[in-house]
Amino acid sequence: MERNVSPANWLYPDRGMVKWLGYFLSDHTQYMENEKTEAQTVAEEDQQSPNLIANLLDSAWQQHQTISLQLNELRNGRHAPDLVGVIVGYDAGFVYCQENNDQLRVIPVQTIRHIQSLKAEKWWDRA
């Protein structure tokens, strides 16, 4: 049995798809943010030697420094955005990096192109 009610008998005016626009807008906003980060051109850093990379990784791990890693991977012919985070461990040729968004990444050491130590941002120094 199908029950059809005419719009004149509704208790409130139905807005149709208007009520879903907020949902679609948030998905679209997230998509646009992802596209924006993917479209950023990342400057190609100099390839560091394996010994220098090992020393910088060890120093960053011991001193709990925030670092920026550039990997030897290309996306659409461009370098991927740098990974920013803290080294929380390493084992058997892999580095465990906890990014600023609390995501843990396992990175093979041979894929690291460049490491740069970042200056710690103080909460009272923010502009």
Side-chain angles (χ1 to χ4, degrees):
M1 174 165 72
E2 189 174 325
R3 183 177 172 148
N4 291 325
V5 180
S6 69
N9 293 335
W10 290 352
L11 298 176
Y12 67 95
D14 186 21
R15 299 176 297 158
M17 286 301 294
V18 173
K19 59 187 169 189
W20 294 98
L21 286 180
Y23 172 75
F24 293 124
L25 181 62
S26 65
D27 283 353
H28 179 70
T29 303
Q30 182 65 37
Y31 173 78
M32 293 303 290
E33 286 177 6
N34 291 342
E35 286 294 314
K36 184 173 146 185
T37 57
E38 289 292 324
Q40 291 176 346
T41 57
V42 178
E44 182 178 345
E45 299 287 343
D46 295 332
Q47 175 72 46
Q48 294 175 331
S49 70
N51 289 335
L52 180 60
I53 290 174
N55 290 339
L56 291 172
L57 285 173
D58 189 47
S59 174
W61 177 70
Q62 288 179 1
Q63 299 175 9
H64 303 288
Q65 292 176 332
T66 302
I67 60 169
S68 173
L69 292 173
Q70 186 176 56
L71 303 179
N72 269 333
E73 59 182 51
L74 298 175
R75 294 184 190 161
N76 298 330
R78 292 179 284 197
H79 281 284
D82 293 353
L83 300 176
V84 177
V86 177
I87 302 298
V88 293
Y90 57 91
D91 184 38
F94 292 95
V95 174
Y96 302 93
C97 180
Q98 183 170 3
E99 295 183 85
N100 289 343
N101 60 3
D102 291 333
Q103 181 180 2
L104 185 66
R105 296 271 308 251
V106 181
I107 304 163
V109 175
Q110 67 267 15
T111 64
I112 297 174
R113 177 180 185 77
H114 186 87
I115 298 177
Q116 181 179 357
S117 178
L118 300 177
K119 191 172 187 175
E121 182 179 325
K122 306 294 184 190
W123 62 269
W124 63 82
D125 244 0
R126 293 183 187 159

